[in-house]
Amino acid sequence: TPWFRVDHDGQTLRLTAGGPWTVYHAVSVDAGLRAIVPDKATVAEIDASQIEALDTTGAWLLLRTRALLKDAGLKVTRFHYPKSYRPLVGIIESEHLVAPAEVITHVSLVAFLERLGRASHAVLIQGTGILGYIGRITIEWFKTLYAPQRHFRFTATAHQIEQVGINALPIVGLLMFLVGIVLAYQGADQLSRYGLDILTVNALGIGVLRELGVLITAIIIAGRSGSAFTAEIGTMKVNEEIDAMQTMGLNIDDVLILPRVTGLVIALPFLTFFADIMALIGGAMMCYFQLGITVPAFIRQLHEAINVNTFLVGMIKAPVFAYVIGMVGCYEGLNVERNAASVGKLTTRAVVESVFLVIVLDAGFSVMFSILGF
């Protein structure tokens, strides 16, 4: 069984530990470690050199004990354990898996404010990091365009256009076709009560071309391609492929980031146009079967309801959304730690952040175009 001993030597508290510190024996020492009383000690020493077996739980207990002593005001001058376990302890420290010295389990205003403050600080740090990364890559992109000595990777960009654009046509087309059917059906169900069946075409055309076409397409691409960017780059980082490329003198931004972002910026406007057409086709079918509006009548009413600005509003948003999705996906991929769990965690984060930013930008565009009269 694991054991530990606490000795007081003047102002020094000495903790000696030994035995198997594993998950199977953690309960037997957990309460005792929490109950350590510093008394008048100001300095602490932890000697775990006699530990015979150590796993993640045991290492976590040692690190938590060190955190407890520090929070009690003691200065930990020595923290010794077998050298063979240094990689394990190092991973737990670097991944910030050590819980705070005191876990707040009760609900209180102080605990709520603390969680709110931590979350706000994390959001601020994450937002600052993404904004700085977007600025840096934007500068690199302009350098590539205007510096003849830099080689733009057309093959890689064309491959990304195929991956994020052409290969996404079936799923985007199918979903937008169904969205068009749903919009036309719901619009007809409400407007037919007032004898305004023909205005279903107006609502469908304006809603799809201005908002829903580009917004839903961007969300689909964020879940499909943005997550793929994070997973691909993250896996390369786990496998140390990025380190190898940097060792060979390759610019990661030129090789990995710019082709993906550029390919997405080129592909998303075309995907948006395709999505608009498929949604209008689905809406036209529903209008024909539900309201008896023929295709010529549908096209005529659509022509009266929309203009060039209606179409341009959606198309202007597409490259901006694509740029943000690509940047967030690549940024999170480069932040992946060297473990599989981090790949999954940051892939999920990339999708959530991309969708959130796309919706925020769409709201900003709506307000801006309304003010400008578009």
Side-chain angles (χ1 to χ4, degrees), residues 148-209:
Q149 67 273 17
R150 300 188 64 167
H151 177 64
F152 184 75
R153 299 179 179 272
F154 290 99
T155 304
T157 303
H159 175 71
Q160 293 300 325
I161 293 174
E162 178 184 4
Q163 292 293 321
V164 305
I166 298 176
N167 292 346
L169 288 175
I171 184 64
V172 171
L174 176 61
L175 290 179
M176 291 308 299
F177 178 80
L178 297 176
V179 167
I181 291 177
V182 172
L183 288 176
Y185 179 80
Q186 295 297 329
D189 184 53
Q190 298 298 320
L191 294 173
S192 61
R193 302 178 182 181
Y194 306 98
L196 302 174
D197 299 354
I198 194 65
L199 293 184
T200 303
V201 181
N202 297 47
L204 177 67
I206 295 174
V208 167
L209 294 180

